[in-house]
Amino acid sequence: MGELKILRQSKTETKSENTGDVPAELIKFRDAVDSVSVEFDKLYKNALLRVGEREAGIFEIHKMMLEDEDFSSEAERLIKEEKFSAAEASKRAGEVLAQMFRGMETEYMRARADDIIAVSGRLCEFLRGESRSVELTSPCIIAADDLTPAETVMLDRDKVLGFVTERGSDMSHTAILARMMGIPAVVSVGHISDEYDGCTVLIDGEAGEVCIDPDEESLSRYRSSHFDAESEKARLDRMRGKTCVTSDGVRIIVCANVGDLADVDEAARHDAEGIGLFRSEFMFMSQTRAPSEDEQYEVYRAAVLKMNGQECVVRTLDVGADKRIPYITGDAKEANPALGIRAVRLSLRMPELLLTQFRALYRAAAVGNISAMIPMISLPSEVEAVRDIAAKARASLEADGIPYGKMKVGIMIETPSAAILSDLLAPMVDFFSIGTNDLIQYTLAADRENPDVAYLRHPLPESVRRCIRMTCSAARREGIPICVCGELGADTDETNFLIDAGVTKISVSPPYVLRVREAVMRKTGMTINRRI
Ligand code: PEP
Ligand code: MG
C-alpha cells in the first residue's frame, strides 16, 4: 500500500533541427544539463549497488563530461550562431568533442569518444522527451502507461513499493524483472486517470488487483492477506537448508534467476542452490556503453564468490525484441523484433561482443563455478558457431597469458525448432535449460507482450508440454542436466508435471525459491505417465 505517483512520458520537443528562439533554447539546454546531471548521480548510486564501485565510476565520468565547459560552450555556440534547437546542438557538440577525443594519443583518451557520444545522446533524448526519468523522492507506488525493461532495471528498490501499468503482460521482461526484484506489480490494467495521482492505493501483485482509496473492507482484506503472507513466510522458512527431494527420492535442484549482483544477494538470502539464470543483458542495460571485459569479469567473479561454490549459470547477451540497448541495437526498427535479430543471432552478427563476454566468463571460471548459457538457439549450426567463438576466447586468453578455467556451455531451449532438434543438440552441449516464456510464445505464435493473446497460455497447452517432454527425453538419453528457467518453473501447479517429464533443476525468481522447494518436497510418486 502507498501513495500513487503517475509517470507520463512528456513529448514536448518539436523535432525541428533549427529554431529561431535562441533564449528559449539556451534555457532548455541549461535546464536539461541540470536534470541529466541529477540522473547521472542516481545512475551512479544504482550502479554502485548493482555492479560495484569500479564500474559505477563511469557515471561520475559522464557527469563530468556533461558539465564540461568545452561541451557546453560548443552547444551554446551552435544554439546562438547556427540557431540549432537545444537537442540538435547537444548532439552536434557531442560529435565535435568525440572527434577531438578520437585524435588523441592514448587509447584511454580515444575510448572517451564513445562516452561523450553517450552523454550527448542522453541529453538529446531527454530534450526530445524520448524517455522518462523515474526520479522519486519518497517511497510510493508508481503508475505508467508502460515501463521498458531498461526503466524497470533502474528503479530504486527502496523507493518503489510497487508499480501498475496500463499496458504490458505478465510474461514481459518488465513483469519478470519485477518478480526478480521482489516488487509487487500489476500490469495491463487499462487507462489510469491522472486524477488518481497522489491517492492511496493498494496493490496485490499475486491476485492482479489494484484498489484506489481503499475502504475499510478492502483494508481489512489487505491486513488479512498480509497476515497470510506472514504465516506463509514462517512455513517456507522451515524449508531452508533442506535437501530438495520428492518423497519418492527424485533430487531436484532449485536455483534463482537474477539480473545483477544485488539479485545474487537475494538468491543467497532465499537459500537458492545456485544461480540458474543470470540475465547478463541487464548489466548492459544499466550502462550507456558496453561493459568492458574487465568490468564484466569483476561482476561474474563477484557473483561466483557470493555463491560460494554453487553453480552460477550466466546467459550470454540476450538483447533485441523488447530489450533494446540503443548503443548495440541502434535505431533500426524491425517489423517483427521478437522474430528478428535477437539473442544469439545478434551475438553471431557482432562476434566481438560474444568473444569479450566469453573471455570474461572463462576468466571467472578460474575463480569459481560458472557456466555459460546461449539464448534462443534454433539450429545446430548456431551452436557450432558459438563453440568456435568460445574456442577463440580460450586461445586468445592462452596467448595473452591470462588465467582461465574450464567452463560448461549449455543452451536454452526456447524455440520449437530447438525442442524438435533436441536429440541433435544434446550431444553438442553440456546442459539444456528450457526458457518457457519464449518457448510458449514461439510455439503458440502468441506475442508474450500482448495481453490479448495471453489466454492461449492458460492452461499450459499440450503442444508446449510435448516440447518439454521431448527435450527432457533427449537430455536424459544424452545424460545432460535439464533445467526450466522460464516463469513456468514458479507455477507450483506444474511442478509435478515438470518433474515427471524429467526436469532435474528449476530456476525461479529469488522470492519463489522456497515455495518451489516446498512443492517439490510435497510431490509423491508419478502423477502422469511419462511419455517419451
Ligand atoms: C524464457 O524465455 O523463458 C527465459 C527464461 O528467457 P527470457 O524471459 O529472459 O526471454
Ligand atoms: Mg527467453
Side-chain angles (χ1 to χ4, degrees):
M1 185 162 74
E3 187 188 323
L4 191 71
K5 181 162 174 52
I6 299 184
L7 306 171
R8 296 270 181 228
Q9 199 150 8
S10 55
K11 282 221 177 254
T12 46
E13 172 78 6
T14 62
K15 293 274 167 94
S16 71
E17 292 190 356
N18 292 82
T19 162
D21 196 348
V22 171
E25 293 303 311
L26 283 173
I27 291 171
K28 266 195 213 166
F29 174 75
R30 287 167 198 156
D31 285 351
V33 168
D34 288 347
S35 303
V36 174
S37 169
V38 170
E39 200 178 282
F40 283 148
D41 282 337
K42 191 177 153 227
L43 285 166
Y44 174 76
K45 222 181 82 212
N46 260 320
L48 206 58
L49 178 72
R50 287 157 194 273
V51 290
E53 192 170 352
R54 219 173 106 189
E55 292 70 37
I58 188 66
F59 295 114
E60 285 192 316
I61 297 177
H62 283 186
K63 185 174 149 95
M64 272 162 51
M65 287 178 157
L66 177 73
E67 291 168 355
D68 182 74
E69 274 268 328
D70 289 343
F71 174 65
S72 54
S73 55
E74 176 62 10
E76 293 190 6
R77 186 193 68 76
L78 288 164
I79 295 172
K80 285 185 210 152
E81 291 175 17
E82 314 279 342
K83 309 281 182 286
F84 280 120
S85 70
E88 190 60 25
S90 305
K91 199 171 104 198
R92 288 179 184 238
E95 279 158 12
V96 171
L97 256 76
Q99 205 46 42
M100 221 174 72
F101 277 116
R102 283 188 199 108
M104 287 189 176
E105 256 178 33
T106 67
E107 200 183 325
Y108 176 82
M109 292 312 279
R110 285 198 295 275
R112 301 284 69 80
D114 290 344
D115 289 319
I116 187 69
I117 291 290
V119 169
S120 61
R122 174 65 201 122
L123 191 60
C124 177
E125 206 179 70
F126 181 88
L127 279 156
R128 288 187 172 149
E130 281 172 358
S131 80
R132 172 183 32 216
S133 147
V134 183
E135 194 58 52
L136 303 171
T137 48
S138 57
C140 61
I141 291 173
I142 58 176
D145 44 357
D146 204 356
L147 288 173
T148 65
E151 284 171 327
T152 310
V153 82
M154 295 313 295
L155 290 177
D156 183 344
R157 289 175 208 216
D158 295 333
K159 299 268 171 58
V160 179
L161 302 173
F163 67 78
V164 186
T165 60
E166 292 179 345
R167 300 198 304 272
S169 127
D170 63 341
M171 221 24 86
S172 69
H173 283 99
T174 296
I176 289 171
L177 267 168
R179 285 193 278 276
M180 257 172 16
M181 295 160 84
I183 299 178
V186 182
V187 298
S188 192
V189 298
H191 178 64
I192 303 168
S193 163
D194 283 344
E195 74 192 56
Y196 297 141
D197 195 42
C199 289
T200 299
V201 65
L202 253 178
I203 66 168
D204 180 342
E206 301 246 344
E209 278 172 18
V210 181
C211 180
I212 309 263
D213 280 337
D215 56 15
E216 210 25 68
E217 195 191 323
S218 312
L219 281 172
S220 84
R221 240 186 314 132
Y222 168 73
R223 285 188 208 106
S224 87
S225 75
H226 202 68
F227 177 76
D228 290 349
E230 288 294 306
S231 59
E232 187 196 30
K233 189 177 164 306
R235 198 186 71 235
L236 293 179
D237 274 343
R238 291 199 282 278
M239 292 286 134
R240 287 176 184 279
K242 295 209 168 136
T243 307
C244 185
V245 278
T246 63
S247 57
D248 55 338
V250 182
R251 173 79 168 100
I252 302 291
I253 296 171
V254 183
C255 291
N257 295 346
V258 302
D260 60 24
L261 290 178
D263 290 343
V264 176
D265 289 333
E266 281 300 288
R269 202 168 68 75
H270 288 275
D271 206 28
E273 291 183 75
I275 303 299
L277 166 63
F278 189 133
R279 289 179 162 99
S280 68
E281 57 273 12
F282 294 126
M283 178 188 355
F284 287 68
M285 278 178 172
S286 55
Q287 310 210 21
T288 45
R289 58 168 177 81
S292 67
E293 178 186 317
D294 281 351
E295 287 166 350
Q296 290 190 53
Y297 166 67
E298 291 297 341
V299 172
Y300 305 146
R301 182 175 171 277
V304 292
L305 291 178
K306 277 174 193 278
M307 288 317 288
N308 207 12
Q310 291 173 319
E311 190 183 16
C312 187
V313 178
V314 176
R315 175 171 75 187
T316 58
L317 196 60
D318 181 3
V319 281
D322 60 326
K323 287 178 290 190
R324 306 209 63 78
I325 303 183
Y327 63 81
I328 294 179
T329 48
D331 291 338
K333 298 241 183 321
E334 294 174 292
N336 292 300
L339 303 181
I341 303 299
R342 182 192 160 185
V344 69
R345 302 171 183 183
L346 185 109
S347 293
L348 294 177
R349 269 204 174 193
M350 303 174 88
E352 67 291 351
L353 272 178
L354 186 58
L355 186 79
T356 303
Q357 191 162 24
F358 265 134
R359 278 179 57 109
L361 287 165
Y362 276 114
R363 285 172 61 190
V367 181
N369 187 356
I370 200 163
S371 306
M373 177 160 80
I374 316 301
M376 215 183 156
I377 289 288
S378 309
L379 296 172
S381 56
E382 290 169 322
V383 180
E384 271 161 21
V386 166
R387 288 206 320 198
D388 285 350
I389 295 174
K392 271 197 193 122
R394 289 193 304 271
S396 64
L397 288 168
E398 187 77 49
D400 296 344
I402 297 173
Y404 64 95
K406 271 197 161 66
M407 181 175 72
K408 293 190 176 116
V409 178
I411 57 170
M412 293 192 68
I413 302 291
E414 48 185 353
T415 64
S417 175
I420 293 165
L421 299 180
S422 53
D423 58 329
L424 301 182
L425 292 166
M428 304 175 79
V429 298
D430 294 314
F431 61 89
F432 280 161
S433 190
I434 306 183
T436 49
N437 310 335
D438 279 313
L439 183 62
I440 294 170
Q441 135 161 291
Y442 294 128
T443 303
L444 300 172
D447 183 355
R448 62 193 270 188
E449 300 287 312
N450 184 346
D452 293 340
V453 290
Y455 72 94
L456 289 161
R457 298 200 286 264
H458 309 290
L460 186 68
E462 182 57 21
S463 51
V464 178
R465 290 182 194 274
R466 286 186 191 186
C467 286
I468 293 174
R469 289 192 200 102
M470 199 189 292
T471 306
C472 287
S473 299
R476 194 171 45 244
R477 277 198 294 270
E478 193 56 37
I480 59 170
I482 173 151
C483 177
V484 164
C485 64
E487 296 301 290
L488 187 71
D491 179 351
T492 49
D493 290 338
E494 297 294 350
T495 308
N496 288 359
F497 160 70
L498 294 179
I499 299 173
D500 289 338
V503 165
T504 57
K505 181 168 158 184
I506 300 177
S507 192
V508 291
S509 300
Y512 292 82
V513 167
L514 290 173
R515 260 193 226 182
V516 173
R517 184 179 299 171
E518 181 187 55
V520 171
M521 292 178 75
R522 273 193 185 151
K523 181 181 184 300
T524 50
M526 181 77 94
T527 47
I528 51 164
N529 290 329
R530 184 177 288 183
R531 290 189 225 169
I532 301 197

